[in-house]
Each structure stands twice: as structure tokens, then as C-alpha cells.
Amino acid sequence: MGFVLSEEELSIQATARRVVDAHGGPAVLRRLRDERDPLGIAGELWGALRALGLVGLALPEAEGGAGLGLKEVGLVAEELGRTLSPAPLGAHTVAARLVARRAGSSLARELTPSLCDGSRLATLAHEEGVRHEARPRAVTLSRRGSGYALDGDKSFVPFGGAADWLVVSAAHEGGAALVLVELARAEIMSLCTIDSHGAARARFRGLEVAADAVLTTDAEAELGRALDEATLLLTAEMLGGAWEAFRRTVEYLKQRRQFGVPIGSFQALKHRAASMYCDLELSRAVVREGLSVADGAQGSLAELASAAKARLSDTYVHVTNEAVQLHGGVGVTDELDLGFFMKRARVTEQLMGDAAFHRDRYARLLGY
Amino acid sequence: MSELDDFRAELRAWLLSHCPPSMRTPPGDGEEVWGGRRCVFPSEDARRWLLAANTRGLTAPTWPTEYGGGGMSREQAAVLAEELRALGCRPPLRSLGIWMLGPVLLRYGTEAQRRAFLPGIIRGETRWCQGYSEPGAGSDLASLSTRAVRDGDHYVVDGQKTWTSHADKADWMFCLVRTNPSAPKHQGISFVLIDMASPGITVRPIQLISGASPFCETFFEGVRVPVDQRVGDEDAGWEIGKYLLSHERSNISLSRDAQSSVEEPLAAQARRYEGGAPGEPLRDASLRDRITQVDLDFLCNKLALRRAAEEAAAGRPAGSEASMFKLVGTEVNKRRRELKVALRGFAGLGWEGEGYLDDELTTTREWLRSRANSIEGGSSEVQLNILAKRVLGLPD
Ligand SMILES: Cc1cc2nc3c(=O)[nH]c(=O)nc-3n(C[C@H](O)[C@H](O)[C@H](O)COP(=O)(O)OP(=O)(O)OC[C@H]3O[C@@H](n4cnc5c(N)ncnc54)[C@H](O)[C@@H]3O)c2cc1C
């Protein structure tokens, strides 16, 4: 019965809803934008989420996390998406899970409790070049003396300016490695992006890396899994945003009058709204199923992550484009929040691979 | 072991000994059993399988045993469905009586009507057809004009129905008729059951673009129908008729879903025609992407169906979902059928005769047949209207 939310899940959802409504929302995003905030995080909201233990939902209980699953994190991510609240929940969860699993590294052991309670912030630095790829190439890890050296550029690190630690994917001897880098040691350039959510470029130039900071040099499977988890948490956020843009649009269709009647009585618009509704219902099903599978339900994580991201990339972009169009002139004004949804949709579409990337990947996974 | 596990074990053993091996293969063209007085069974095994199923009410698992149903709980019926699927058993019977009329009789029928009609429906002894559409009343069904005039304890019915699927093979028809022409259109309709052998009924088959002629025009001239064959009150048939439609819609989408999941994947079919090693990307990149889009939409629809079923089982049914699944299910199915023809290239263009494999000819006919999926049972446009109104609350 993976689709029916349990009492506990409903209560997490209700708590998250309350907190993001109190401390997040488009008004906060607007302020970050107007102030050109280099970190791009709703700080107060993040503090409130930490105080309630919602930052470590899917992190180990023994280290101060809640020991729950990604499905629960997804419910909070949906609320962040619904209110367009920039908070590094997905990025941090996935990076912290990678660190927490590394009992062999004393650095990782030392960091884990602070990542679980959120007093330190981590993010995954993976994207390179102009498009998502599954394997790192531009950033390389090579042996140097008793340790390693890290070289190359990461082009788009979500919340990269605000994190304390980066988990960096790197090409290494024909495979992939994961490396812990303290933010202060990297060259960071904060990006001012259309969605005003934190993002940065990171450059490593022969950066010395101690052996203890290398989480693994055999990262292929683990990185693949982490990317799938990050992808699914991102789709949960996208789902929340898409439903909200849709809800606002349906409200507007009922209230705005032209030709003496509500514009929602025009069939051309009704049909567009109804077909978006179907898109969104199907989206919800695939996102929730993907997160259940990430938590251990039967199914292929990789297939579902690609299925979900392919659909949500298309759906979020389509719904926000329609939302702007169906609002007419006010739809393209900065005063209305809808533009923020459209901009966030564009960014999330590209992050972790767009629809074409994931359809291609899905086909490959199925052997065609 | 829980009671349900016991039930499953016993049921499986029973199915293994009562479902003939030949009935545990996918049915070929025309091998489906629709029952009825004039039923021609495609094989002796098919007849034996239906008779066996009837001893346990398997055609209507959750209906009361007093009418011949299986008397199963929802959980038991789910186990039955799983076991039938696991063993590959064919449905013993396909039936509009079970899918559509039964739920209506159970909810709106009198005890006498249930006793009179349900056992024959369940056992597949009577075959039913649906007399809704008329030449002037399609999507706007409530504008129907077939008249039923009271004459003592009978109605006298005059008019014409059309698109009546299998009217030429059916024994009975559930039918919407106008009993009150002066009332507003939704308030003058009654729901009646008509014996197709009644004097005054003429049936004329219509041919489809696929070459088959599964439906008919049905003419009524002074047809006498006993008043006790009316279901519900006089002039109160519209609500009943709509209740039946919601069952029709969920059935159209569910049966498509079940059918497509046993089919050879589109990509494997494409590979057969274009060659190349398994695991390699298909050469035609555009076809490959179209296949993935259909596969993914199909997957998402299946998950949404499962979610709706789980929510309903948990006591949180969401309402107008039948319209969504009818719409999405039939539209995805149409795209899938298009692709099946497209990936066969020239081999998908045959109508009949030499030069084509049976599978190719069937594929092409099925593509043509699938065009009707989004028209029958309420068109896609009508489903969008329903969703806009009922789910989104958009104004008229
Ligand atoms: C294979 C098949 C089997 C069938 N079997 C049966 C049967 O057994 N019994 C039975 O009673 N009927 C049956 N039907 C009839 C079916 O229910 C009707 O065809 C259907 O309701 C559409 O009606 P119509 O054909 O008159 O089209 P119309 O209603 O004339 O529609 C024509 C076009 O206009 C559109 N349209 C109509 N109204 C609106 C609106 N308000 N808003 C937007 N668009 C609109 C439709 O979507 C369609 O695209 C069957 C049909 C088919 C194709």
C-alpha cells in the first residue's frame, strides 16, 4: 500500500506545510532576488526545518537523524516546491547520506553528526559543462604523493555558495571517485540564476586532497544511486511547484471575467486545464512510486528515477508555460508570482538531466 | 498462515485442476467467450471452463451467492485476480451484463429483477447490449428521443438506436427511452430492459473502418415492454444511466491496461523489423523516442491506476477518476497502436491475403479499431468536459 500515506507521513506533511507557509514562500524568494543574495537560501526556513528535525529525515538515527526514508523527505520537498522556498533539502540529504555511509574515513565519521542535525551543510557537486551527464569527466582525481590532487570545474552546484562541504564526483583511473572538500578550499563563484535559488561554480586547481577525504575511489554504483536519489527528490519538489502553478491558474480561470463570463467557461481553456490535471495526477503517481522504490520497495530505482524525471521535466515546464499564457498580460508581470514558477521549472528541467536525457537513459536501461 | 493465504492456496489448486490447459494461453482472434443464448463456443474447453467457473461464481466474484455470484470479499477478489493472472487463465466470460448492468441492478433493481436477471448474466446464459446512442443523440445523450408510451402494464417503444454493439448477437438490451417528452431533457428518461426477441425490433449491422461490423442500427416499431422491466422510477432513468456509464469507463481503461501489459514490448517489435543486436539503441532515433514516450506514459498511467485502487481500498475514493483513466488509457492505447503499425513500415499496410503475416494483418486491423476507443463510452472531449466540471469546478 505504498501510495496511501501513513499517519506518520501525513503528520510530517502537515508539519512541513505549516513551517514553509510560516517561513518560506515566494515573498522570501523575491527578497533574496532583490537583494542579490549570494547564498540563495531561505535562511529562517532552513533554521526552522532544522529545529524540527526535518533536515535529517532520511539520515541515520544513531547519528542524530530520524532514520526515515526518502519518501518522507519527498513530502517536505513537495512543500518547498509548492511555496518556491529555496532550501537545500534534497542536495544536503543525498550528500549527507554518502558521507554517513563512509565509516572508514575519520573525517566522514567526524562530520556525520553535524550533517544529520543540519549544523553543517553539504551538497553534491556533480554537474559539468552545459548539460547533465551520468559520469564525471571534467573534474579528475589523481594520485599525488601519499594523497590525491583534484582538478577541473563543476559548472552548477546547487546551493554551492552556502554549503560547508562539497561531495565532489571526479573521474579517477577509468572509474569515478567521491571526494569531500571543504568549501573554503575550493574556488567558488556564486551564480545569479533566473530562479534565485542558490547555485555556484566550483573550480579545483591541483587541490591537495588527503586520503581520508576520499570517500571512495570505486564510486560508480554509489554515485549512480546518489544521482537517482537526488533526481527523485528534485522531482518531488517539481511536483509541488507544478501543482501550485496549476492551482493558481484554475482559481484565476474561475475569477477572471471577459465577454461577460468567467474565462473558465471557455471550452478551449477547460480542456487545457483538464488535460494538465491528468498530467499532474500521473506525475504524482510516478514520483511517489520512485521514492518508495528508493526506500526499498520492489522495482528498478534507475528506471523509475528516469521515468519520473522525464515526466516531471515536461510537465513542470508545460504547466508553468500554460499558467502564464492563461493569465494573459498579468501572467508576464513580475508582480505576479507565476514567473518565479516558470523560471524554477526551467532550472529544474535541466538539473540532473532533462526529459530527452532520461528517455534515452530509460530506453538504454530496457535494452533498446 | 492467514485465512487469505489458505484461500489463495485452495483457489490455486482448484484453478489448476479446473481450468483446462488450453484456456491458460492468451486468447487468439475471436476466441473470447461472450455467452448468450446463441453463444458459439470457440472450443469445448472454453465451454468447460465457463461451466467450471460458474460453480464458484468466478465471473462475478464479489456478487452475492444467492444470485450465483462468488460472494467474495474485496480482498479475496483481488487474490482471485492475481491468481488468474499468475496462471495465465483466460477470462471465462466477457459480458456487458457483468461490467455494466449488474452493478445497476444491484443498486437500483427490485429483488424480483435481480432474481430474474442476475443468474443468467453471471452464468453467461444471456448476452446484453447497450441501447443508449441514437442518430441524434451521441455525446448529448440526454437529448435521446426513442419514445416509450404507457399502455396498461406495458410501454410501447418506437424509435431508433445506433452504434449498438453486438445487437445482432444479444438476447437483451438495457435501454434509455423517453417517457416524458414535456419534462426538461434529463427528467423525462427511463431505464428499461428489452427482450431483443420482442416483435417490432429490427437490427441492421454497420461496417467499421477495420472491416469488422461489431455494431448495429436497432429499430423499434410498437415494441411492447412490460412495465416491471423498468429499473428505478419512471422518468428517473438518467441518474441510473450515468451510474452505468461510470462502470463502462473504468472497464474500458482497465481492460486496455491488462491487455497491453502481456503484449510484446514495442521496442522488441521494432527490433524484429529493423534488426540490430539486443541492448543496442534502435537505429531510428525518432521512432525510439516515440516508443519511450508511450512506454513511459503507459507506466505512469498504470501507477496512477494502482494509486487510485489503493486509495479506494483505504476508503478514500477520489471521485471522477474513471473519466481520467478512460481519457488517458484510450489516448495512450491509440498512440501505441499507431506505433505498432509505424514500426512495421510497409509490412503494416496490408489489408488481407498473401504477402503479410497474420500478426501484421491483425496489428493493422487493431490500429483501425483503436480509433474508436476515444469515441465509444464518451469521447475524449466529453471526458475533458467532465473533468473540468466535476474535478476542477470550472463554470458552465
Ligand atoms: C466502436 C463503438 C461502439 C459503440 N458501442 C455502443 C453501444 O454498444 N451502445 C451505445 O449506445 N453506443 C455505442 N457507441 C456510441 C458512442 O457512445 C458514441 O459514438 C459517442 O457517445 C459519441 O457520439 P457520436 O458518435 O454521436 O458523436 P458526436 O457526439 O456527434 O461527436 C462528434 C465530435 O464532437 C465532439 N463533441 C460532441 N459534444 C461535444 C462537447 N460538448 N464538447 C466538445 N466536443 C464535443 C465529440 O468529442 C466528437 O469529437 C459506440 C461507438 C463506437 C465507436
Side-chain angles (χ1 to χ4, degrees):
Chain A
M1 301 294 277
F3 282 116
V4 180
L5 296 185
S6 67
E7 288 303 316
E8 186 179 30
E9 287 161 349
L10 287 170
S11 125
I12 289 171
Q13 187 180 50
T15 307
R17 202 163 277 171
R18 195 161 37 74
V19 181
V20 297
D21 282 336
H23 302 286
V28 175
L29 186 68
R30 194 178 282 280
R31 185 163 46 74
L32 294 177
R33 197 252 332 240
D34 293 344
E35 293 169 359
R36 299 281 186 279
D37 186 297
L39 302 186
I41 287 188
E44 225 178 276
L45 171 62
W46 188 245
L49 291 171
R50 270 187 58 196
L52 285 162
L54 292 175
V55 165
L57 279 177
L59 300 179
E61 219 170 348
E63 305 282 352
L68 298 171
L70 291 180
K71 193 169 163 214
E72 285 82 358
V73 184
L75 293 174
V76 183
E78 274 183 47
E79 296 305 318
L80 295 173
R82 176 179 63 83
T83 53
L84 283 180
S85 304
L89 182 70
H92 177 73
T93 299
V94 173
R97 278 158 75 95
L98 287 169
V99 176
R101 238 177 266 143
R102 264 297 105 45
S105 150
S106 58
L107 176 61
R109 271 205 311 280
E110 183 209 324
L111 277 179
T112 298
S114 61
L115 296 178
C116 287
D117 69 16
S119 52
R120 283 201 181 99
L121 184 63
T123 185
L124 185 64
H126 175 75
E127 308 284 23
E128 299 172 347
V130 294
R131 256 175 231 297
H132 173 82
E133 280 184 54
R135 293 155 158 261
R137 258 203 291 235
V139 170
T140 58
L141 180 74
S142 46
R143 289 184 194 276
R144 188 200 284 164
S146 60
Y148 297 86
L150 195 62
D151 280 282
D153 290 0
K154 291 292 182 186
S155 57
F156 200 101
V157 184
F159 302 102
D164 302 299
W165 288 84
L166 304 177
V167 175
V168 184
S169 63
H172 176 72
E173 294 175 357
L178 288 167
V179 184
L180 257 174
V181 176
E182 196 168 8
L183 194 77
R185 300 190 59 227
E187 291 175 39
I188 294 291
M189 183 211 295
S190 280
L191 300 171
C192 180
T193 51
I194 49 175
D195 64 341
S196 312
H197 282 50
R201 238 171 244 173
R203 169 162 293 176
F204 312 100
R205 277 195 274 209
L207 184 72
E208 203 175 298
V209 177
D212 200 38
V214 176
L215 294 175
T216 169
T217 52
D218 180 19
E220 219 124 308
E222 206 167 351
L223 175 62
R225 181 171 177 96
L227 293 179
D228 285 335
E229 290 183 353
T231 300
L232 283 165
L233 289 177
L234 185 66
T235 62
E237 186 210 309
M238 296 165 84
L239 180 68
W243 270 109
E244 177 63 12
F246 175 68
R247 192 193 61 77
R248 290 175 185 223
T249 303
V250 172
E251 276 314 300
Y252 192 71
L253 291 178
K254 292 179 188 171
Q255 160 221 319
R256 167 75 175 165
R257 297 176 73 87
Q258 283 295 282
F259 301 97
V261 293
I263 57 172
S265 65
F266 302 138
Q267 195 181 51
L269 307 195
K270 280 184 183 171
H271 282 195
R272 282 157 78 172
S275 89
M276 280 191 266
Y277 167 82
C278 297
D279 279 345
L280 287 165
E281 279 293 339
L282 267 57
S283 298
R284 169 151 48 208
V286 70
V287 169
R288 295 264 172 89
E289 174 73 2
L291 289 165
S292 293
V293 168
D295 288 339
Q298 204 193 343
S300 154
L301 175 63
E303 285 172 26
L304 276 154
S306 280
K309 187 59 168 56
R311 171 160 278 271
L312 267 292
S313 292
D314 281 348
T315 301
Y316 199 8
V317 167
H318 173 67
V319 167
T320 49
N321 283 346
E322 287 285 84
V324 167
Q325 176 66 20
L326 299 188
H327 274 75
V330 290
V332 288
T333 60
D334 184 64
E335 194 188 337
L336 199 76
D337 292 335
L338 269 185
F340 286 102
F341 285 92
M342 188 162 116
K343 292 167 181 166
R344 182 62 182 157
R346 281 288 166 207
V347 173
T348 54
E349 179 196 18
Q350 287 298 324
L351 273 177
M352 309 307 295
D354 62 10
F357 174 91
H358 281 285
R359 285 202 299 268
D360 174 69
R361 179 171 180 250
Y362 184 85
R364 267 172 217 282
L365 288 167
L366 267 72
Y368 69 95
Chain B
M1 260 200 343
S2 76
E3 263 174 54
L4 214 53
D5 292 330
D6 288 342
F7 174 78
R8 185 188 296 275
E10 184 275 326
L11 183 68
R12 174 171 284 222
W14 186 90
L15 287 171
L16 283 170
S17 64
H18 288 83
C19 181
S22 72
M23 291 296 106
R24 291 177 49 196
T25 58
D29 236 7
E31 287 189 350
E32 292 156 346
V33 174
W34 287 90
R37 285 199 285 262
R38 286 168 285 169
C39 176
V40 182
F41 286 95
S43 66
E44 179 55 23
D45 277 351
R47 201 183 61 89
R48 281 182 32 223
W49 172 218
L50 178 58
L51 288 178
N54 284 344
T55 62
R56 299 189 62 145
L58 296 191
T59 62
T62 59
W63 295 3
T65 47
E66 55 192 300
Y67 309 119
M72 294 182 201
S73 65
R74 217 162 29 195
E75 292 77 24
Q76 288 174 327
V79 168
L80 171 66
E82 283 168 22
E83 289 304 311
L84 289 172
R85 204 174 325 127
L87 298 178
C89 303
R90 294 184 191 179
L93 179 67
R94 286 159 192 275
S95 160
L96 302 201
I98 289 170
W99 299 333
M100 301 184 212
L101 180 60
V104 162
L105 290 178
L106 286 170
R107 175 149 171 185
Y108 296 99
T110 62
E111 185 54 32
Q113 288 170 337
R114 286 184 209 144
R115 289 196 180 286
F117 296 112
L118 288 178
I121 289 176
I122 294 170
R123 293 196 297 263
E125 289 162 4
T126 37
R127 179 168 183 177
W128 288 80
C129 65
Q130 177 181 27
Y132 274 33
S133 306
E134 299 179 2
S139 301
D140 182 12
L141 181 59
S143 68
L144 59 92
S145 60
T146 294
R147 282 282 283 132
V149 179
R150 190 73 176 252
D151 177 23
D153 52 6
H154 280 75
Y155 289 108
V156 178
V157 178
D158 283 279
Q160 183 192 343
K161 295 288 172 184
T162 189
W163 319 132
T164 327
S165 295
H166 306 295
D168 50 343
K169 302 193 180 72
D171 308 305
W172 283 75
M173 170 189 274
F174 48 88
C175 188
L176 291 176
V177 292
R178 185 156 305 284
T179 34
N180 185 349
S182 44
K185 67 178 181 180
H186 294 101
Q187 287 159 32
I189 293 173
S190 298
F191 189 103
V192 296
L193 309 177
I194 302 179
D195 188 338
M196 291 299 280
S198 314
I201 297 184
T202 323
V203 171
R204 200 159 65 207
I206 311 171
Q207 189 167 342
L208 275 169
I209 50 175
S210 65
S213 54
F215 56 16
C216 307
E217 293 174 287
T218 310
F219 301 89
F220 300 87
E221 268 176 284
V223 176
R224 295 185 68 81
V225 178
V227 169
D228 61 13
Q229 284 168 208
R230 187 191 68 224
V231 180
D233 290 338
E234 186 165 282
D235 296 344
W238 181 244
E239 183 196 326
I240 303 176
K242 271 199 313 186
Y243 178 73
L244 183 140
L245 280 181
S246 70
H247 286 272
E248 175 175 16
R249 275 163 205 162
S250 41
N251 248 299
I252 289 179
S253 46
L254 285 173
S255 57
R256 298 273 169 280
D257 181 48
Q259 184 192 350
S260 325
S261 56
V262 298
E263 251 178 39
E264 182 185 20
L266 289 173
Q269 299 181 40
R271 178 89 66 205
R272 279 201 277 118
Y273 284 88
E274 75 165 35
E280 234 171 57
L282 294 172
R283 271 198 298 271
D284 183 338
S286 145
L287 177 70
R288 175 173 179 260
D289 192 54
R290 281 163 74 202
I291 289 177
T292 315
Q293 293 194 28
V294 167
D295 280 356
L296 285 176
D297 286 351
F298 180 74
L299 169 71
C300 292
N301 189 46
K302 195 170 82 176
L303 293 171
L305 273 163
R306 210 174 79 207
R307 172 165 185 266
E310 287 184 14
E311 296 275 8
R316 289 185 229 148
S320 292
E321 267 145 358
S323 284
M324 177 171 85
F325 292 126
K326 159 71 166 78
L327 171 73
V328 179
T330 55
E331 292 296 336
V332 176
N333 188 50
K334 279 198 304 184
R335 281 160 58 209
R336 175 194 210 77
R337 302 273 176 215
E338 295 268 3
L339 274 178
K340 282 183 70 172
V341 171
L343 64 85
R344 281 167 170 74
F346 290 128
L349 305 180
W351 180 252
E352 63 186 14
E354 279 178 43
Y356 298 98
L357 302 172
D358 284 350
D359 156 78
E360 289 163 348
L361 296 173
T362 311
T363 297
T364 304
R365 301 290 179 117
E366 282 175 351
W367 155 62
L368 288 164
R369 176 61 182 85
S370 74
R371 304 314 297 179
N373 294 162
S374 52
I375 299 170
E376 62 195 321
S379 69
S380 288
E381 291 75 16
V382 166
Q383 305 308 328
L384 287 167
N385 290 347
I386 294 174
L387 287 168
K389 180 172 176 160
R390 304 261 171 73
V391 179
L392 305 181
L394 291 173
D396 279 329

